[in-house]
Amino acid sequence: MSEVLSGAEFKKELLAGKPKFGLFLNSHSPTVAEQLAHSGYDWLLVDSQHGPMGYETLSAMLAAIASGGAKSMVRVSGYQDRAGIQQSLDTGADGILVPYINTADEARQAISCMLYPTAGTRSVYFPQRSMNKKGLLGYAGASNDNVIVALQVETADCIRNIDEIAAVPGLDMLFLGQNDLCMSMGLYEKYKFPDMYFSPELAEATDKLRAAAKKNNVILGLFLFGTSRVGEFLEKGFSLISLGNDLHHMLTQATAYVKDCEAVSKEKGSAWTRRDTALM
């Protein structure tokens, strides 16, 4: 079993450029979360922004991730989601990803909810899962150093304001969401899929993000589907990288098996044609 790093140690390694790979979880399944926590990934993120999990399921998923030793994060609905941030941290999340940040003021509001006073406005309560191992003083006293504070960069306004956002105190990570950023910048209208991801406009926005992160000693994170561009973004300084989500993993592996069966059945004279799949 690999050594379980503290949040502060995890962030220190990321800042030093040591890659940490993981997945988003959208299946609202503690069983799937637990299996993936034992799959070798460094971290798993429960996506409550786009997934159907409520707080009880979220609690079970975070416990399942902890059983495998992976770091856990939760994507909440937005900077105004104080309840989601509080519940996620109290039930054991190691970090929070806040989507759709557009301004430095929104960044400050989000970060305030994640940190205990006097750095922030997070409420203290005991007992609960986050405090079970080290108690009130052991957990709360070190929480502001250990919690992974991440904001998602996915709008044109965020890029316009990125220098101010990156300088907000308490921020650990800026996480690039290329899909929504391309949509926000109008690149889906300008380019045919997937050309927008290789466009000069997106490259310019990404370079602006990279410069702001470097200036403020902030970690860079990124969502990708699969591994084809991992090397490219490692070279650009992105150290926390998602390789998709649990549902995408399930679909791609199932599709690979189906294609294999289609090929071998044809080869053996018992031709079988697969049904249409979500991946076509």
Side-chain angles (χ1 to χ4, degrees):
M1 189 78 173
S2 301
E3 178 188 1
V4 177
L5 301 176
S6 69
E9 292 167 336
F10 188 82
K11 292 186 290 186
K12 184 177 180 180
E13 291 192 354
L14 284 166
L15 274 174
K18 184 173 182 179
K20 305 288 184 185
F21 296 104
L23 283 181
F24 279 42
L25 303 180
N26 291 84
S27 63
H28 66 283
S29 169
T31 301
V32 171
E34 185 172 24
Q35 287 300 111
L36 289 171
H38 289 276
S39 69
Y41 283 116
D42 299 298
W43 58 272
L44 296 169
L45 181 145
V46 182
D47 186 6
S48 65
Q49 181 192 16
H50 287 294
M53 62 287 295
Y55 290 141
E56 291 183 0
T57 301
L58 171 65
S59 177
M61 292 177 73
L62 291 173
I65 294 169
S67 77
K71 278 281 173 281
S72 63
M73 297 181 67
V74 176
R75 180 161 69 172
V76 297
S77 65
Y79 71 92
Q80 77 291 344
D81 188 10
R82 173 177 287 274
I85 293 171
Q86 180 81 56
Q87 289 280 357
S88 298
L89 292 174
D90 285 354
T91 50
D94 295 303
I96 301 292
L97 175 62
V98 181
Y100 216 74
I101 293 294
N102 292 289
T103 68
D105 184 60
E106 292 176 358
R108 279 188 286 269
Q109 291 184 59
I111 293 170
S112 176
C113 296
M114 300 183 220
L115 302 178
Y116 287 124
T118 56
T121 58
R122 180 183 172 189
S123 175
V124 183
Y125 187 77
F126 178 83
Q128 58 198 359
R129 178 180 296 121
S130 63
M131 294 184 176
N132 282 345
K133 291 183 179 180
K134 296 186 178 180
L136 175 61
L137 296 179
Y139 171 80
S143 176
N144 287 357
D145 292 328
N146 284 322
V147 66
I148 303 163
V149 176
L151 305 178
Q152 193 150 353
V153 178
E154 56 182 346
T155 69
D157 283 341
C158 187
I159 292 296
R160 278 190 283 271
N161 297 317
I162 197 63
D163 292 327
E164 294 81 10
I165 292 170
V168 174
L171 175 64
D172 293 315
M173 183 188 304
L174 289 166
F175 189 94
L176 176 60
Q178 294 185 104
N179 297 326
D180 279 305
L181 181 55
C182 284
M183 192 77 73
S184 177
M185 293 172 64
L187 301 183
Y188 273 83
E189 299 167 5
K190 183 175 181 179
Y191 294 97
K192 291 183 179 180
F193 183 86
D195 295 345
M196 63 282 294
Y197 298 111
F198 304 93
S199 65
E201 294 93 335
L202 181 59
E204 182 180 355
T206 302
D207 286 343
K208 188 174 181 182
L209 165 62
R210 292 169 60 204
K214 183 176 182 180
K215 179 180 178 181
N216 292 280
N217 203 32
V218 170
I219 299 160
L220 284 170
L222 172 75
F223 185 92
L224 295 173
F225 274 120
T227 59
S228 63
R229 301 186 71 188
V230 166
E232 171 191 343
F233 281 98
L234 287 176
E235 290 180 341
K236 292 179 178 179
F238 289 81
S239 52
L240 184 133
I241 299 178
S242 174
L243 303 179
N245 62 34
D246 51 352
L247 300 180
H248 177 255
H249 267 41
M250 180 174 65
L251 275 173
T252 53
Q253 186 60 66
T255 300
Y257 284 148
V258 166
K259 285 182 177 179
D260 286 346
C261 289
E262 191 174 46
V264 73
S265 65
K266 183 178 180 180
E267 177 187 334
K268 299 301 181 182
S270 301
W272 172 76
T273 302
R274 63 188 172 99
R275 295 190 304 111
D276 290 341
T277 74
L279 296 179
M280 302 306 290

